[in-house]
Amino acid sequence: MDYATYLKKYPSADGRFGKYGGAYLPPQLVPAMEEITQAYLTICHSSQFINELRRIRREFQGRPTPVYHCETLSRKLGNCQIYLKREDLNHTGAHKLNHCMGEGLLAKFMGKKRIIAETGAGQHGVALATAAAFFGLDCTIYMGAVDIAKQAPNVARMKVLGTKVVSVEKGAKTLKEAVDAAFEDYMENYKDTIYCIGSAVGPHPFPMIVRDFQFVVGEEARAQFKEMTGFLPDVITACVGGGSNSIGFFLPFINDPVEIVGVEPLGRGDKLGDHAASMSYGSEGVMHGFDSIMLKDADGEPAPVYSIASGLDYPSVGPEHAFLRELGRVNYDVASDREAVDAFFKLSRYEGIIPALESSHALAYAMRRAKEMGQGSILVNLSGRGDKDLDYVIEHYGYGDDFKDF
């Protein structure tokens, strides 16, 4: 594989990353997706659009976000140095605003009056609610009832921003069901509405659109790390649910001699229903309009999943992730709930940074790997901040007294 030309080759014109991806749609949505595709392919080459997005990122989002060296944490672990790409400092507290502001601009260009989406941890919902307020659009967010209970601060933020939050009471009442509900809305209202998918999943062109808008994370991080150290990191890592923060972080390094590792949630263990590690335990399947690797039940349907991190409990993964693993360019590992909470408290105690539980999975892997490596450097995409998780963590784990020592 010639990775120097990778971005020009993938996805293909029909939205494929190798055999993965595509667009599996009901007939009434085919014209709507074609409209989105053509609009995006028009504006992504428009200097006016690009300059406006750059201005928004600079003046509204606060980009570029910094790369930070965890000196104390690294010293506790040994001689391997851990660095963080601080997406928690992006406006609204996570990477999600990177693609939401782009999708908002796209909606305005297309003349849409309303944007809708699903959300798990609430960070995508908050980001899209922010974009809706910025661009003067109506917004509806679908969120599983279980996640609403876990993520009350983000629910409040969405409502304050003027967004309608719909509690999804079907099934497991988490992210998969929220996506189902949002698709139902979109099928009824696609003429004046655009569905702004919250990750690098869904039918073409959404995996491409989200990837392209998130590319800025890895692009910044690569340049910043090299300026700080004179080198590239030995390993880069990010958490993977659907895969939006990780795909944008990984791809700018794809042609470099850098090991790339995605980290999935092992949850309570390897039993089906106790985790959401699609790449580790899943097989090829189609859901929500795209072909990728997914967790299946005995009937071949999407399996129930679980993770302490609401933004990771999805039974499939973005098609580009499945393709990159098949190519052998990206490896995928897991971190359990316990490891993620341990990383959550250690970063808080030793660096003064409270991470999102999603991001804590990648940090947990980095901490484990740093001990194994003994030297070198690991760059973690800290995709979000943990304010949203504090109530849940304190209720279930207290204030971290059991997580102090190495």
Side-chain angles (χ1 to χ4, degrees):
M1 170 66 67
D2 178 14
Y3 292 110
T5 59
Y6 175 90
L7 290 173
K8 291 184 177 180
K9 293 181 179 178
Y10 300 104
S12 61
D14 59 350
R16 294 281 177 177
F17 301 91
K19 63 182 177 181
Y20 303 110
Y24 299 80
L25 297 164
Q28 68 266 36
L29 283 186
V30 172
M33 289 299 170
E34 181 61 25
E35 179 191 16
I36 293 172
T37 301
Q38 293 306 314
Y40 176 71
L41 292 177
T42 297
I43 64 170
C44 74
H45 296 290
S46 163
S47 62
Q48 183 178 359
F49 174 85
I50 292 168
N51 288 331
E52 177 62 7
L53 186 58
R54 285 175 175 168
R55 184 190 69 80
I56 289 169
R57 285 175 170 171
R58 182 178 63 252
E59 298 177 7
F60 184 68
Q61 293 183 229
R63 302 205 70 89
T65 58
V67 165
Y68 170 74
H69 180 204
C70 296
E71 293 186 55
T72 303
L73 183 64
S74 300
R75 188 165 58 251
K76 294 280 186 180
L77 292 166
N79 293 320
C80 184
Q81 303 303 304
I82 292 179
Y83 293 79
L84 307 176
K85 176 58 172 168
R86 297 288 308 276
E87 286 301 286
D88 59 309
L89 297 178
N90 193 33
H91 179 45
T92 74
H95 70 289
K96 294 291 188 178
L97 197 63
N98 299 330
H99 65 256
C100 286
M101 296 306 289
E103 288 171 333
L105 266 180
L106 176 62
K108 292 290 283 188
F109 175 80
M110 295 175 68
K112 303 296 184 181
K113 305 298 183 184
R114 177 174 177 257
I115 52 180
I116 63 171
E118 83 299 330
T119 194
Q123 288 298 144
H124 176 63
V126 169
L128 197 65
T130 300
F134 184 93
F135 291 110
L137 299 166
D138 290 333
C139 184
T140 301
I141 299 294
Y142 291 88
M143 191 172 187
V146 169
D147 294 332
I148 284 178
K150 288 171 68 176
Q151 305 291 346
N154 275 347
V155 175
R157 292 169 75 193
M158 286 184 269
K159 291 181 177 180
V160 166
L161 288 162
T163 281
K164 179 182 179 182
V165 180
V166 178
S167 178
V168 179
E169 306 290 339
K170 296 180 181 178
K173 305 178 184 179
T174 56
L175 184 56
K176 186 262 180 187
E177 289 73 27
V179 176
D180 292 341
F183 263 113
E184 290 174 9
D185 182 324
Y186 188 49
M187 282 192 288
E188 294 179 4
N189 300 291
Y190 61 87
K191 290 185 179 180
D192 67 350
T193 297
I194 184 169
Y195 179 13
C196 299
I197 289 180
S199 194
V201 299
H204 179 66
F206 289 112
M208 174 182 67
I209 290 174
V210 172
R211 174 195 76 179
D212 291 355
F213 286 141
Q214 290 295 341
F215 194 85
V216 65
V217 179
E219 192 173 40
E220 286 178 4
R222 186 182 183 277
Q224 290 166 326
F225 192 93
K226 200 162 186 180
E227 182 179 357
M228 288 175 72
T229 68
F231 302 96
L232 290 172
D234 295 296
V235 180
I236 67 167
T237 187
C239 65
V240 179
S244 58
N245 90 92
S246 44
I247 202 67
F249 186 56
F250 292 168
L251 286 182
F253 292 91
I254 197 171
N255 206 37
D256 296 320
V258 172
E259 184 180 351
I260 304 176
V261 182
V263 184
E264 295 188 298
L266 186 60
R268 297 179 289 245
D270 59 8
K271 182 181 177 182
L272 192 65
D274 281 348
H275 63 82
S278 308
M279 297 286 273
S280 300
Y281 298 98
S283 58
E284 187 179 357
V286 175
M287 67 175 286
H288 292 152
F290 69 104
D291 183 303
S292 188
I293 302 299
M294 62 181 277
L295 293 165
K296 302 175 185 177
D297 62 18
D299 298 320
E301 296 298 315
V305 292
Y306 160 80
S307 171
I308 192 174
S310 297
L312 301 181
D313 58 359
Y314 187 66
S316 188
V317 66
E320 193 162 9
H321 283 286
F323 182 54
L324 289 169
R325 185 183 68 168
E326 187 172 279
L327 291 176
R329 183 62 190 94
V330 179
N331 298 318
Y332 293 83
D333 209 316
V334 295
S336 68
D337 280 1
R338 181 76 183 184
E339 289 177 299
V341 174
D342 179 64
F344 176 94
F345 282 117
K346 281 186 167 62
L347 190 67
S348 299
R349 294 290 176 89
Y350 294 113
E351 297 292 346
I353 299 169
I354 302 174
L357 284 172
E358 290 77 16
S359 317
S360 298
H361 285 73
L363 181 63
Y365 170 81
M367 290 166 55
R368 185 201 316 155
R369 187 66 188 280
K371 292 179 182 178
E372 296 170 358
M373 289 169 58
Q375 59 184 2
S377 60
I378 303 174
L379 176 59
V380 180
N381 189 23
L382 197 75
S383 55
R385 66 176 181 240
D387 306 45
K388 65 184 180 59
D389 298 311
L390 282 175
D391 291 345
Y392 180 84
V393 169
I394 292 168
E395 179 183 351
H396 291 84
Y397 298 95
Y399 290 93
D401 294 339
D402 295 335
F403 295 87
K404 285 183 179 178
D405 298 327
F406 277 86

